[in-house]
């Protein structure tokens, strides 16, 4: 076992209370139910602990967002616009060894505007504006 893998295994057990799978290609987020904000927290803690630059990490390839997104029923969020890439022990070990995020993402394009989020916002703002107008007219 390499030093990087041993350090990862120790940290993984501290953070999740679980043993790091022996298989280098194990899908950690799927196996341990890590998603949404927990996945972001996991990756932030990983980067901080092992001094790995996360600038090149694109969350939407690896996990979905937290919570229920009504707008996603009509407009695909970023994670549904790309093919998922699992976070594996091998990827994390390479990140520790190089100090950089090692995943090379395929070419992709995301819309400049998150229409799913805009729809969610309008569902909140339209009723509030209606209520304000109603109160103002009274």
């Amino acid at each position: 076992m390499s030093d990087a893998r041993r350090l990862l295994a120790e940290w993984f057990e501290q953070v999740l209370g679980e043993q790091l799978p022996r298989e280098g290609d194990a899908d950690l987020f799927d196996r341990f139910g890590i998603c949404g904000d927990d996945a972001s927290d996991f990756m932030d803690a990983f980067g901080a602990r092992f001094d790995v630059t996360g600038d090149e990490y694109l969350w939407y390839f690896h996990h979905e967002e937290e919570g229920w997104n009504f707008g996603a029923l009509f407009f695909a969020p970023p994670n549904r616009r790309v093919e998922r890439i699992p976070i594996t022990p091998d990827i994390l070990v390479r990140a520790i060894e190089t100090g950089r995020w090692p995943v090379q993402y395929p070419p992709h394009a995301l819309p400049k505007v998150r229409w799913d989020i805009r729809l969610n916002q309008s569902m909140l703002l339209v009723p509030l504006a209606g209520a304000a107008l109603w109160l103002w007219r009274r």
Side-chain angles (χ1 to χ4, degrees):
M1 180 184 290
S2 72
D3 285 343
R5 183 154 177 104
R6 181 182 52 74
L7 290 170
L8 176 63
E10 291 170 0
W11 176 80
F12 193 84
E13 191 162 351
Q14 285 176 341
V15 169
L16 292 181
E18 300 277 353
Q19 284 196 322
L20 184 69
R22 292 189 191 281
E23 313 88 46
D25 63 350
D27 185 341
L28 298 176
F29 284 7
D30 185 54
R31 184 176 290 188
F32 296 101
I34 303 170
C35 62
D37 291 345
D38 292 339
S40 295
D41 293 345
F42 178 92
M43 292 308 298
D44 289 345
F46 171 80
R49 166 59 181 92
F50 296 106
D51 198 26
V52 172
T53 302
D55 297 343
E56 296 153 2
Y57 174 78
L58 299 177
W59 67 268
Y60 50 88
F61 274 95
H62 305 290
H63 63 85
E64 59 192 29
E65 294 173 289
E66 188 82 14
W68 194 73
N69 179 354
F70 179 77
L73 295 173
F74 303 98
F75 303 100
N79 62 291
R80 288 197 352 232
R81 294 178 180 268
V82 296
E83 188 172 332
R84 185 172 174 276
I85 299 172
I87 299 292
T88 66
D90 285 349
I91 288 173
L92 297 179
V93 166
R94 278 198 319 264
I96 293 168
E97 291 171 344
T98 63
R100 299 185 63 199
W101 187 245
V103 175
Q104 296 296 315
Y105 297 104
H108 64 287
L110 296 177
K112 294 192 184 305
V113 175
R114 289 278 310 267
W115 291 108
D116 57 322
I117 299 298
R118 293 280 171 92
L119 181 58
N120 291 340
Q121 291 168 339
S122 69
M123 290 177 55
L124 175 65
L125 293 177
V126 168
L128 285 176
L133 182 61
W134 179 78
L135 286 171
W136 179 71
R137 295 185 69 127
R138 287 191 75 194

